[in-house]
Amino acid sequence: MKLKEDGEGDLVVPGSLSLVRWLLANDLVEQLDLTFYPVVIGQGKRLFPESGPDHKLQLLESSATSRGLVIQKYRLAGRPEYAVAAESWANT
């Protein structure tokens, strides 16, 4: 895709979940820098939808401010692999 081939630098997308989801779905994301605020609102749009492809994330860096703001940097690392539970464990 031309955006990825010709793109230079970082693309910052504050507050546009539709664009972030589109970029993820089209494999145009190499790194996610996520900022978490210490507030639980219990509503609003989810960054990652309930359906769609899964993404394996590799943590590159994590830091927190004195007020509890957490900043995490992740590299997308392909699709995750899931372990299959042993049948004896699944039947308990």
Side-chain angles (χ1 to χ4, degrees):
M1 181 169 253
K2 190 159 180 62
L3 176 65
K4 194 167 187 175
E5 292 169 3
D6 295 343
E8 190 173 311
D10 296 334
L11 175 64
V12 178
V13 185
S16 178
L17 292 178
S18 298
L19 179 55
V20 171
R21 288 178 178 175
W22 185 87
L23 292 168
L24 283 167
N26 288 280
D27 294 321
L28 294 172
V29 176
E30 295 174 1
Q31 180 175 315
L32 287 171
D33 295 355
L34 302 176
T35 304
F36 300 95
Y37 294 93
V39 175
V40 177
I41 57 173
Q43 57 189 343
K45 292 185 179 180
R46 299 168 47 110
L47 174 58
F48 303 105
E50 291 185 29
S51 62
D54 295 346
H55 297 280
K56 182 178 179 180
L57 301 176
Q58 176 188 9
L59 182 63
L60 301 175
E61 186 179 324
S62 181
S63 60
T65 68
S66 61
R67 298 185 66 109
L69 178 71
V70 177
I71 303 162
Q72 295 180 320
K73 296 183 180 202
Y74 293 96
R75 175 183 300 130
L76 270 70
R79 300 289 184 237
E81 295 179 21
Y82 297 101
V84 178
E87 187 164 330
S88 61
W89 179 80
N91 292 327
T92 59

